[in-house]
Amino acid sequence: MKTDELIDRLGRDVTVARPLPTPGMRTAGWMVWAVSYLVLVAVMMFAVMSSARVTPTPLYLVQQGAALVTGIMAARAAFASVIPGSNSRVWVLPTVGAAVWSVSLLWAGVRDLQASGTLGVTSQSDWPCVASMTVGGLLVGFPLVWMLRRGAPLTPHLTAFLLWHGGTVAAIVTLCALMGHRLLRWPEMTTP
């Protein structure tokens, strides 16, 4: 087939695709689901903390706020990553949020080491918390993957890496990054 024939055929047989909403609009749509889930979790945590008479510390609130901001900015960057020609500066905000979050977690570890001589390894296990965060990350991540699959998989490994929700699900992040080319791939196209 010659170039002129190909151009003519493409112009004749083209089907117009509806453009995706902006990354901000898609992030807002995803947040409807995510915020609903987070409100439910926050209500349950507040009930547990109230019954145990636990008062959240400012450091804990910084950690939670940084995690929330990082998650929202990572979702927005992921939505931008599947749109050809999108601004590459969207990667900066999730990086800054993750840095603040990491520093606050590190600071909590240092304070724990000073107070009890351990890095959170005490007689009380945090595995139920790890499991609940993993399940929560999956519940919030599945709708995100579903929405991302409508875009162009320009950077599938990086896009899949942005699906993470918490440091404790690093294994899921690694798996997503390794599976990014399978989860976020170009659709199969048939030619007549």
Side-chain angles (χ1 to χ4, degrees), residues 83 110 145:
I83 297 177
V110 168
V145 169

Side-chain angles (χ1 to χ4, degrees), residues 23 26-27 75-87 90-91 148 154:
R26 296 182 78 202
T27 303
R76 188 178 188 298
F79 285 129
S81 76
V82 297
I83 297 177
S86 64
N87 190 342
V90 296
W91 305 105
L148 286 169
L154 303 172

Side-chain angles (χ1 to χ4, degrees), residues 116-131:
S116 64
T118 68
L119 286 173
V121 181
T122 61
S123 61
Q124 186 180 31
S125 172
D126 287 335
W127 288 112
C129 186
V130 171

Side-chain angles (χ1 to χ4, degrees), residues 63-79:
Q63 291 171 347
Q64 299 307 306
L68 184 65
V69 167
T70 302
I72 293 168
M73 293 298 106
R76 188 178 188 298
F79 285 129

Side-chain angles (χ1 to χ4, degrees), residues 6 16 24 59 77 90 95-96 98 125 133 151 153 156 160 186:
L6 176 63
V16 178
L59 182 57
V90 296
T95 304
V96 171
S125 172
M133 286 190 300
W186 291 100

Side-chain angles (χ1 to χ4, degrees), residues 8 40 52 67 78 85 90 97-98 101 103 115:
D8 184 51
L40 178 67
V90 296
W101 190 16
V103 167

